Amino acid sequence: MATTSGQDGPFNILGSSKLNTADGKNPTSSSTTATQGQTTEAKDQASAATGLDKDAACRKAHDELEARLRDEELSARSRVAATAVTSSPRNAKGDPSISTKSHDDRLLRTIFDSHQFWLEFSRRAQADSSRPRKGLFQNRYLTQASGFHDFTQATLQKCRNIVAKVVASSTTEDYKSIPREMDRLSDSLCRVLDIAEFVRATHPSRSFQRAADEAFATLFEYMNILNTTTGLNSQLRKAVASPQIASTWGEEERIVARNLLIDFSKSAIDLPQKQRERFVELSSNISQLGTAFLQGMAPARSNLTFNVNRLKGMDPLILKRITNRHGNALLPTVGPESLAALRAVEEEAVRREIYIAGRIASDNQIQILEKFLVLRAEVAALSGYQSYAEMNLSDKMAQSPRSVQSFLTALSTDNSTQIKQELDEMLSLKRRTSTANHSAVEIKAWDREFYRARVAATLRSKSQRADVISAYFSLGTVIQGLSRLFSRLYGVRFVPRETSPGETWNPDVRRLDVLDETEGHIAVVYCDLFAREGKSPNPTHFTLRCSRRISPAELDEASNLFPDLEPSYAANDGMATSLSLTGTLHQLPTIAIICDFPPPHDSSHPTLLSFRDVQTLFHEMGHAIHSILGRTNLQVVSGTRCATDFAELPSVLMEHFASDPTVLSLFARHWETDAPLPYGLVAEQLIVDRKGQGADTETQILLAMLDQAYHSNPRLFSSDESRGSDIGIEDPGGFDTTRFFRAVHARHGSVAEPAETRAQGFFGHLVEYGGTYYSYLFDRAIAGKVWQDVFRSGREGGAVSRDRGQRLRDEVLRWGGGRDGWRCVAGVLGDDRLRDGGAEAMAEVGRWGVKG
């Protein structure tokens, strides 16, 4: 995702859903068709004699590029094979009968599991004097931090030229090209912003970070200028309104045009000047309030003091750390210490005090939230919507707040049986184990963590020690397993590739090229998986460059601007490209996966992952495979650039694969003995992890309902005296976030929330999601149904079936945002009832529940 002004800012020329996923989000594709590409090229070739000359030059450029790519691939394969033969312990004899694919597979494990081997592998490539220094991600501008300035200036000039071309459109052919031109405008901005966003979050160099900040700010300012360029909106509307023009567009172009028009309507671009100025002012104020809210998410009381004797049951090591010489423990009200206390302290009164104190936000925090929500409602009203949720949902699968409520209500009903079973089990344990509560009639809010931990403790065997199961999950074997899984499902695999000097931001970063068995090189993935000082601990998938068709006209333009460079190299800033089977040039998806796994203890000991780490890596690779296979003609709809409530489907689905015995048998072996993983270890882990899942789901449902309540209430900014909201909660008179918080819990919660709490002050996702917090639950429900119906819950080899994988690829992954999400879901499940979406379709998804 390239995030720009965000959901509260003015018109987002980058498209409505750009998702870099720091899991969970988010919180952010359609497949190219040969027919569309051939049609566009045919139109270009039919123009004039000069056009024919250009096409000849472009065909020559295509031929040259194809030869270069083949040479590069052969050279890379030769270097990889040679390195593996000479350096890998497994290949010490250099057996020439071992295929390149087998070399790649073994090398994949070795470069992650053997630190010494990785040093030799990467040092050899870095020391190769024949390999010139390249920029970050091979971007020719970014050989040094100052290159961001040149990159930004070149981008600004390109964008101004595109805008001028669109605004000057006058002929039928001009108007037909508007969606493609506006996508190119988006792509030009994203090329800088996506990398700048990554550098700001991840790059260790302060000079690179500062340069990225400046680039981001410059282009953000330019986007504000675009927001006032009414000519873009009016020209697009003319094109959409003409059946003669719109009928020539493919599905990608139609969706891009539709989404851009929705974005224009959200930006209130057609308002009179005074109202427009108010809109811009509101957007700025909302941004500032959102930042203040996120920075103020701390309880009103930061610590509680207890005599250490009242904390019986807590880990002695934690107690020692927080206890003073007078025998008093200073317990933080938020963080790992307070959670440990809620799970372990035997005295119920202490747990009650800790729970309540940790869920009381300050008066100032609540005031910021309420002002923030009122301003959002005013923005929606200015834009012509009844509520902010209605505005934000207009381009999502849900489409309306009432549809979201249909989903959440149905899901809550489905979840009620499981949550009742969990609470009954906890209550039975409470009656058996508490000397003061033999006749207890209910589980209190401060009981849940305590008794959940005790229920889980009864399920764990001695074999469930973390180091036992981790021994079967070296990082290298898990990456190897992902490649083997993708090969079986989709016919794609990972191939280790040496990096050129300057290409990565840290020596630990591995580059993997993604090869398709029929299409060849289709993507580049940079893996930065080890923890280090100053690095964010959040697992994240970054899209650094999206798939997009590079037209012959763009190659010709690049040739004119940079006559000393190869056109394909110049047209994509030096980053990876490839030719499709039809001869169409595409910029390749370029991705970075960020995790914080512990580095190896020594050169002989690989990094070993917990089962939760394995699930995390599978999740992030789910985002990656969406980006990889969502190869489109237009970048606004490529890969994860789809509706917010559809973007998590591939990643959540991958979590199901992570626990499937057939999938695990592809790779999970003991790092020392090579013995296969006894699946019983995973089965035990899953039983423990799923205990309390009903409570977890209910918590997410309550938060999603609260999000809807806050963003769907028409009385926040309206002269309309109607009462109520679309989540079934009556407005209790005047806007009061605490009243809504209590009303949602009272109506939909299974455990009473203490009257003193006002935990809405810690709900930071309100800022990012704004009426779409239901999305993760929604995608979990769909993923569970796809796993069950398409992959047969892994039975009879369903989890590694090419036919079933191809079905998911054809109906979901290859489309990204270039096809309506409901059509994707209906297609993969074979259920036409879902094709048009709506409240009943949302309710049907809710009835599926979230399992596993």
Side-chain angles (χ1 to χ4, degrees):
M1 140 179 137
T3 49
T4 55
S5 53
Q7 294 174 344
D8 295 300
F11 167 55
N12 180 6
I13 190 66
L14 302 184
S16 57
S17 182
K18 306 293 177 284
L19 181 69
N20 275 342
T21 55
D23 287 290
K25 286 65 58 202
N26 341 62
T28 253
S29 287
S30 117
S31 170
T32 184
T33 62
T35 303
Q36 290 173 329
Q38 291 166 348
T39 301
T40 304
E41 290 181 10
K43 291 173 184 174
D44 290 339
Q45 291 169 354
S47 57
T50 54
L52 293 174
D53 292 339
K54 291 178 181 179
D55 283 339
C58 289
R59 283 194 297 273
K60 180 180 179 182
H62 276 300
D63 292 340
E64 292 173 350
L65 173 64
E66 187 172 30
R68 178 176 66 82
L69 291 174
R70 286 172 179 163
D71 289 344
E72 283 188 358
E73 184 167 328
L74 287 172
S75 175
R77 287 177 178 273
S78 297
R79 289 194 300 271
V80 167
T83 304
V85 167
T86 58
S87 302
S88 171
R90 292 179 174 268
N91 297 328
K93 296 182 179 179
D95 183 353
S97 68
I98 299 176
S99 67
T100 299
K101 186 173 181 179
S102 297
H103 273 306
D104 294 341
D105 186 67
R106 282 193 284 271
L107 184 63
L108 191 58
R109 176 176 176 175
T110 309
I111 66 166
F112 285 97
D113 275 357
S114 172
H115 184 64
Q116 185 60 39
F117 177 82
W118 168 247
L119 290 177
E120 295 174 4
F121 179 84
S122 56
R123 188 183 300 125
R124 185 176 292 112
Q126 297 290 322
D128 186 351
S129 59
S130 66
R131 296 169 69 90
R133 181 175 180 81
K134 295 189 176 182
L136 189 64
F137 309 117
Q138 294 189 316
N139 187 296
R140 67 185 185 87
Y141 289 100
L142 302 181
T143 56
Q144 52 190 357
S146 60
F148 261 115
H149 177 267
D150 296 338
F151 193 16
T152 301
Q153 294 306 309
T155 296
L156 286 172
Q157 186 57 54
K158 184 195 298 185
C159 290
R160 292 177 184 124
N161 292 341
I162 296 170
V163 170
K165 181 178 180 180
V166 172
V167 172
S169 294
S170 59
T171 68
T172 299
E173 292 304 311
D174 288 342
Y175 281 105
K176 287 180 181 179
S177 70
I178 283 179
R180 295 192 301 275
E181 292 297 336
M182 294 188 71
D183 179 76
R184 190 182 178 204
L185 176 61
S186 171
D187 178 64
S188 299
L189 292 166
C190 284
R191 287 184 179 196
V192 182
L193 291 168
D194 285 342
I195 293 179
E197 181 188 25
F198 170 86
V199 168
R200 295 164 79 197
T202 306
H203 203 290
S205 166
R206 292 297 179 90
S207 61
F208 260 96
Q209 290 176 12
R210 285 192 296 270
D213 282 336
E214 292 172 5
F216 201 95
T218 299
L219 290 185
F220 183 83
E221 182 180 352
Y222 175 70
M223 286 178 61
N224 284 333
I225 296 173
L226 289 181
N227 294 333
T228 64
T229 308
T230 56
L232 292 174
N233 178 40
S234 60
Q235 291 288 63
L236 179 59
R237 290 187 182 279
K238 287 179 184 178
V240 171
S242 169
Q244 178 186 2
I245 293 168
S247 63
T248 66
W249 293 338
E251 188 163 14
E252 286 184 31
E253 292 162 306
R254 290 194 298 271
I255 287 181
V256 167
R258 181 201 69 185
N259 289 347
L260 289 175
L261 285 178
I262 291 173
D263 282 335
F264 274 124
S265 71
K266 291 179 182 180
S267 74
I269 198 169
D270 291 327
L271 288 177
Q273 182 65 26
K274 185 174 181 180
Q275 290 173 287
R276 176 66 190 168
E277 290 174 357
R278 176 59 178 163
F279 182 93
V280 173
E281 179 187 5
L282 286 170
S283 298
S284 176
N285 291 341
I286 289 169
S287 177
Q288 293 173 22
L289 286 168
T291 299
F293 181 76
L294 292 173
Q295 291 174 345
M297 292 194 303
R301 293 182 64 184
S302 59
N303 295 282
L304 296 173
T305 301
F306 297 100
N307 183 281
V308 70
N309 294 324
R310 297 189 66 194
L311 298 179
K312 182 181 178 181
M314 274 193 77
D315 185 330
L317 294 177
I318 297 177
L319 275 179
K320 183 177 180 181
R321 190 167 64 244
I322 64 175
T323 302
N324 62 25
R325 66 178 184 275
H326 303 296
N328 292 322
L330 190 65
L331 183 74
T333 52
V334 67
E337 294 88 356
S338 62
L339 180 58
L342 286 171
R343 289 176 174 172
V345 170
E346 296 176 6
E347 186 179 330
E348 183 174 344
V350 172
R351 297 200 308 273
R352 181 183 186 278
E353 187 174 350
I354 295 169
Y355 180 86
I356 292 174
R359 290 174 67 83
I360 299 178
S362 68
D363 291 341
N364 184 60
Q365 181 75 346
I366 300 302
Q367 291 169 9
I368 290 173
L369 174 61
E370 291 175 354
K371 179 66 173 175
F372 174 80
L373 294 171
V374 167
L375 295 188
R376 271 190 164 174
E378 185 178 351
V379 160
L382 276 175
S383 301
Y385 295 91
Q386 290 188 359
S387 69
Y388 188 85
E390 181 187 79
M391 180 177 79
N392 207 17
L393 291 168
S394 58
D395 57 352
K396 310 299 187 292
M397 288 179 69
Q399 298 180 325
S400 72
R402 290 197 181 278
S403 290
V404 175
Q405 176 60 18
S406 295
F407 164 70
L408 293 173
T409 300
L411 183 61
S412 181
T413 300
D414 176 85
N415 190 57
S416 60
T417 300
Q418 183 171 354
I419 187 100
K420 184 178 185 305
Q421 291 174 347
E422 292 173 6
L423 291 175
D424 286 348
E425 187 174 12
M426 290 182 194
L427 183 58
S428 176
L429 185 60
K430 181 176 182 177
R431 288 169 175 168
R432 293 198 312 269
T433 59
S434 175
T435 56
N437 284 287
H438 291 303
S439 59
V441 296
E442 64 180 350
I443 289 291
K444 303 291 188 180
W446 49 86
D447 286 334
R448 286 180 298 187
E449 289 291 344
F450 182 77
Y451 288 105
R452 180 175 178 176
R454 271 155 176 67
V455 169
T458 66
L459 300 172
R460 289 191 175 93
S461 69
K462 293 181 180 179
S463 64
Q464 276 303 111
R465 293 199 334 264
D467 59 335
V468 174
I469 195 168
S470 292
Y472 296 89
F473 293 128
S474 73
L475 177 57
T477 60
V478 178
I479 296 291
Q480 185 183 57
L482 282 161
S483 181
R484 291 174 176 178
L485 175 63
F486 292 154
S487 178
R488 283 161 175 77
L489 290 176
Y490 312 121
V492 303
R493 62 189 177 90
F494 297 144
V495 177
R497 175 77 178 267
E498 307 102 316
T499 57
S500 298
E503 185 177 347
T504 65
W505 56 100
N506 186 275
D508 276 340
V509 177
R510 276 74 160 164
R511 170 178 166 169
L512 305 178
D513 284 359
V514 185
L515 299 187
D516 184 280
E517 61 189 23
T518 57
E519 298 180 48
H521 189 198
I522 61 171
V524 176
V525 180
Y526 292 93
C527 296
D528 185 359
L529 305 182
F530 297 112
R532 60 179 175 270
E533 185 177 356
K535 180 182 174 184
S536 170
N538 297 319
T540 311
H541 158 273
F542 284 93
T543 301
L544 304 162
R545 184 144 301 185
C546 285
S547 171
R548 180 179 165 274
R549 175 180 180 265
I550 299 175
S551 70
E554 291 173 61
L555 287 172
D556 187 65
E557 177 185 295
S559 181
N560 291 333
L561 288 173
F562 307 101
D564 295 334
L565 299 177
E566 183 180 330
S568 61
Y569 177 86
N572 199 37
D573 310 317
M575 293 178 69
T577 58
S578 74
L579 288 168
S580 69
L581 295 176
T582 60
T584 301
L585 182 67
H586 271 73
Q587 56 193 47
L588 293 189
T590 301
I591 299 151
I593 300 293
I594 310 298
C595 291
D596 66 334
F597 304 138
H601 297 306
D602 55 59
S603 60
S604 63
H605 194 290
T607 287
L608 302 178
L609 305 184
S610 69
F611 184 62
R612 187 175 296 276
D613 289 337
V614 174
Q615 292 172 309
T616 295
L617 190 51
F618 268 66
H619 182 101
E620 296 307 327
M621 280 297 183
H623 286 305
I625 202 66
H626 199 186
S627 296
I628 290 164
L629 299 181
R631 300 183 67 204
T632 56
N633 281 334
L634 304 180
Q635 74 88 30
V636 167
V637 292
S638 67
T640 57
R641 296 192 170 175
C642 54
T644 302
D645 50 5
F646 193 63
E648 290 290 333
L649 172 58
S651 57
V652 175
L653 179 60
M654 279 296 292
E655 294 179 28
H656 290 278
F657 286 93
S659 58
D660 178 76
T662 306
V663 172
L664 290 171
S665 71
L666 295 177
F667 67 93
R669 308 187 74 83
H670 197 283
W671 73 277
E672 287 183 300
T673 68
D674 209 39
L677 168 73
Y679 187 72
L681 294 178
V682 174
E684 287 183 23
Q685 182 74 52
L686 292 173
I687 291 171
V688 172
D689 290 347
R690 289 169 182 171
K691 275 293 181 182
Q693 186 182 74
D696 292 340
T697 299
E698 182 178 87
T699 296
Q700 295 303 307
I701 291 171
L702 292 173
L703 290 172
M705 287 181 167
L706 190 64
D707 177 40
Q708 288 299 307
Y710 287 164
H711 290 102
S712 300
N713 186 5
R715 297 193 65 205
L716 285 179
F717 186 83
S718 174
S719 58
D720 182 3
E721 292 301 318
S722 64
R723 301 168 68 88
S725 73
D726 280 322
I727 57 93
I729 301 296
E730 183 179 353
D731 183 344
F735 180 62
D736 182 335
T737 60
T738 302
R739 289 181 180 180
F740 270 101
F741 173 75
R742 291 171 183 165
V744 167
H745 277 265
R747 178 162 180 171
H748 298 286
S750 299
V751 176
E753 180 71 9
E756 303 95 320
T757 65
R758 45 187 187 186
Q760 74 271 25
F762 313 129
F763 190 8
H765 290 312
L766 286 170
V767 175
E768 180 179 358
Y769 282 96
T772 65
Y773 189 75
Y774 70 91
S775 298
Y776 189 71
L777 285 170
F778 183 65
D779 284 344
R780 281 185 65 195
I782 297 174
K785 184 69 169 175
V786 171
W787 175 247
Q788 174 183 300
D789 289 8
V790 178
F791 294 98
R792 300 177 56 81
S793 298
R795 295 187 304 275
E796 299 174 3
V800 293
S801 164
R802 172 62 65 85
D803 288 344
R804 297 177 187 279
Q806 193 65 39
R807 181 171 160 188
L808 182 70
R809 181 174 183 173
D810 289 345
E811 296 291 348
V812 176
L813 297 175
R814 78 182 185 95
W815 293 100
R819 186 191 202 191
D820 181 77
W822 285 113
R823 290 187 61 195
C824 292
V825 174
V828 75
L829 293 176
D831 188 348
D832 282 342
R833 296 176 304 160
L834 304 171
R835 188 178 182 87
D836 297 323
E840 180 52 37
M842 292 287 291
E844 176 65 16
V845 175
R847 287 189 285 270
W848 296 341
V850 288
K851 306 295 190 298

